[in-house]
Amino acid sequence: MNIDLKEMTQLAPIFRELFKGYHLSRSEPEPYAQLSNMQDQYRALFKALGFELVCDPRGFYYFVPEQMGAQVNKTAQRLALFTFILVEHLADQGRDPLAVLDGGSLGRDELPALLDKYRDLFLQAEVTTQEELEEKVIRRLTQLGFAEDSNGVYRFLPPMHRFLDVCLSVQQDRDLAASLHSSDLPLPAPELIAEDESEDDIILIEEATEESEEAALARAIAEEKELEA
């Protein structure tokens, strides 16, 4: 495939965001538009340079870190647990969880009641106060492209489907089909386990990396030029 780096005018911001674990969706109009229009070229370029670009048909892009070099961190586990809690909480309120987590929103004023109702589960994630909930969960959701914070209203973005997929997978694994007929049985949430024992489907790239995104991008472009020579 012929790859013209000059046409990739959004290469630097795209690589910078993907490299740090961000999920690019329509909330970033220009990078998202170019990724959509040049999806095959970007995927081929990143593959040649050792990065796997996932192009989810539901409208978002992200890098899959190398399994040997990535740690399944508590951040991923916290975000997955938070998604489980939200699914049950919204269902209890008669709200459609999918409608909320797929483009809907949650108000900051709902967090205290949520924290109080599921305090035992949040303790698993080392979250005991609203400040910790906002810092360890909400802020990470926004930093990684799963949600946007608009003056205390948290709007969920398409990448949330990654956690919804995990919810569905666990639901199927635990054979919940029968229990869903009983409104008295809550949706079981996963317990947080030690990082070296985890087999979570979602692995998030750690913020701290040995190589900065600027250095990695410079190296990637240099290697691509060598391939063209």
Side-chain angles (χ1 to χ4, degrees):
M1 175 180 293
N2 183 29
I3 300 176
D4 188 349
L5 294 176
K6 294 180 181 179
E7 294 182 355
M8 296 181 167
T9 57
Q10 293 293 315
L11 176 58
I14 286 173
F15 184 84
R16 180 174 60 248
E17 295 304 311
L18 295 176
F19 183 79
K20 67 182 183 183
Y22 191 80
H23 292 59
L24 276 170
S25 63
R26 290 183 177 86
S27 63
E28 304 290 338
E30 291 187 24
Y32 179 82
Q34 187 162 109
L35 266 177
S36 298
N37 294 331
M38 303 181 66
Q39 179 173 293
D40 292 340
Q41 293 92 320
Y42 270 101
R43 184 156 41 188
L45 172 62
F46 291 140
K47 182 178 180 180
L49 301 173
F51 300 94
E52 181 182 351
L53 176 66
V54 176
C55 309
D56 194 288
R58 291 168 295 191
F60 56 94
Y61 299 85
Y62 61 95
F63 274 164
V64 174
E66 295 180 6
Q67 295 295 323
M68 295 301 292
Q71 291 184 342
V72 178
N73 50 65
K74 283 190 176 181
T75 294
Q77 296 182 17
R78 283 193 184 106
L79 301 188
L81 180 63
F82 181 68
T83 305
F84 272 87
I85 290 173
L86 273 182
V87 167
E88 181 173 322
H89 175 68
L90 294 168
D92 286 347
Q93 291 187 329
R95 298 158 69 184
D96 182 357
L98 182 58
V100 175
L101 295 174
D102 185 14
S105 62
L106 183 78
R108 185 173 185 268
D109 58 349
E110 297 184 61
L111 296 183
L114 189 68
L115 181 63
D116 184 65
K117 182 178 179 181
Y118 297 97
R119 188 168 299 277
D120 290 342
L121 289 177
F122 278 118
L123 282 175
Q124 294 185 35
E126 301 175 355
V127 172
T128 59
T129 66
Q130 182 172 340
E131 290 73 21
E132 289 181 340
L133 176 55
E134 293 181 12
E135 177 68 18
K136 295 180 179 181
V137 178
I138 303 298
R139 187 174 71 89
R140 296 298 285 138
L141 283 172
T142 60
Q143 286 179 333
L144 294 169
F146 294 101
E148 288 182 332
D149 182 357
S150 178
N151 297 321
V153 176
Y154 309 118
R155 186 172 71 86
F156 298 103
L157 302 173
M160 280 298 293
H161 277 284
R162 292 193 70 193
F163 292 114
L164 287 170
D165 289 346
V166 174
C167 289
L168 179 59
S169 176
V170 173
Q171 179 180 344
Q172 292 172 339
D173 290 344
R174 296 181 181 185
D175 194 22
L176 292 180
S179 68
L180 288 177
H181 291 293
S182 173
S183 59
D184 296 328
L185 296 179
L187 176 67
E191 294 185 359
L192 298 192
I193 56 181
E195 292 181 6
D196 58 352
E197 298 175 356
S198 177
E199 296 180 355
D200 282 357
D201 292 331
I202 295 180
I203 298 177
L204 301 180
I205 300 175
E206 294 283 7
E207 284 187 350
T209 56
E210 295 182 358
E211 183 179 32
S212 70
E213 59 265 22
E214 290 83 3
L217 178 57
R219 173 180 58 80
I221 292 177
E223 290 178 1
E224 173 62 19
K225 289 182 178 178
E226 289 181 3
L227 292 174
E228 293 178 345

